[in-house]
């Protein structure tokens, strides 16, 4: 039987590998170098990383000692991983709806999403082994929004989703 911590290492390595590949390809898109396939590889690797991220989160929660998340570092891990998931979904959604993206904004957002996942992995190394490359982050503070800002962002997100659904319905041909 595989322990939760071993399974967490496996899913984490899959997630980090996929996001690292995506980040590298987004960098190639940003500097406009490399083969044309970099666009497809970046987005497929991002989708693969998204597929494995929930598994890494679930196995990570199962492998922590204790019954609850009591460490500010773990709370920050959840915050950055959820933010990266949301940003990654946005990048993939734009690629699916709008096709191949030109310019610097799209690959920049892809690099930010992959960077946030790598930041999350660095926090995991700090929590599990006490070693990290992100020594400059405070370890005792949780970066959370005040309640009013969270409510505004939630309302804005719901409004944007509703607008996207309404736009998609108006653009689709009627079925008779």
């Amino acid at each position: 039987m595989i322990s939760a911590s071993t399974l967490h290492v496996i899913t984490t390595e899959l997630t980090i590998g996929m996001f690292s590949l995506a980040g590298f390809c987004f960098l190639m898109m940003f500097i406009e170098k490399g083969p044309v396939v970099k666009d497809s590889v970046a987005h497929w690797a991002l989708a693969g990383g998204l597929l494995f991220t929930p598994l890494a989160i679930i196995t990570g929660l199962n492998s922590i000692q204790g019954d609850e998340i009591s460490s500010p570092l773990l709370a920050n891990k959840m915050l950055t991983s959820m933010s990266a998931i949301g940003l990654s979904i946005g990048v993939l959604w734009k690629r699916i709806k709008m096709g191949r993206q030109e310019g610097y904004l799209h690959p920049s957002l892809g690099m930010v999403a992959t960077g946030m996942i790598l930041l999350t992995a660095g926090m995991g190394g700090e929590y599990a082994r006490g070693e990290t490359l992100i020594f400059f982050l405070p370890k005792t503070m949780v970066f959370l929004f005040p309640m009013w800002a969270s409510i505004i962002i939630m309302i804005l997100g719901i409004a944007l989703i509703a607008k996207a659904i309404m736009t998609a319905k108006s653009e689709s041909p009627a079925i008779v």
Side-chain angles (χ1 to χ4, degrees):
M1 182 100 162
I2 298 176
S3 70
S5 57
T6 303
L7 194 56
H8 178 62
V9 169
I10 294 168
T11 56
T12 300
E13 292 300 326
L14 287 168
T15 303
I16 298 304
M18 294 295 242
F19 272 101
S20 297
L21 177 62
F24 180 73
C25 290
F26 281 122
L27 177 64
M28 293 290 108
M29 289 169 61
F30 186 81
I31 61 174
E32 298 174 351
K33 299 285 185 195
V36 177
V37 75
K38 65 187 173 271
D39 178 70
S40 297
V41 172
H43 291 92
W44 279 107
L46 192 64
L50 276 174
L51 179 70
F52 290 113
T53 300
L55 295 173
I57 291 170
I58 291 168
T59 57
L61 289 174
N62 288 335
S63 66
I64 61 172
Q65 305 297 328
D67 294 333
E68 60 186 40
I69 298 176
S70 58
S71 168
L73 203 56
L74 290 179
N76 285 332
K77 269 180 66 87
M78 289 298 290
L79 178 69
T80 55
S81 65
M82 293 301 160
S83 299
I85 288 171
L87 190 56
S88 299
I89 289 171
V91 168
L92 286 175
W93 182 263
K94 180 148 176 117
R95 173 64 167 86
I96 290 168
K97 287 295 182 185
M98 307 287 256
R100 208 174 282 251
Q101 298 295 308
E102 299 296 327
Y104 297 112
L105 180 61
H106 188 76
S108 296
L109 291 174
M111 285 189 292
V112 168
T114 57
M116 290 177 77
I117 283 291
L118 296 176
L119 180 68
T120 303
M123 284 187 238
E126 172 75 22
Y127 180 77
R129 296 179 309 277
E131 52 189 43
T132 185
L133 293 175
I134 54 169
F135 54 86
F136 51 86
L137 287 179
K139 309 294 189 267
T140 59
M141 184 182 354
V142 178
F143 302 106
L144 295 177
F145 284 132
M147 183 63 79
W148 61 268
S150 298
I151 291 170
I152 290 172
I153 290 171
M154 185 176 69
I155 291 169
L156 182 62
I158 291 170
L160 289 172
I161 290 170
K163 182 179 184 250
I165 291 171
M166 298 305 280
T167 304
K169 283 184 179 180
S170 66
E171 292 176 356
S172 63
I175 300 174
V176 179

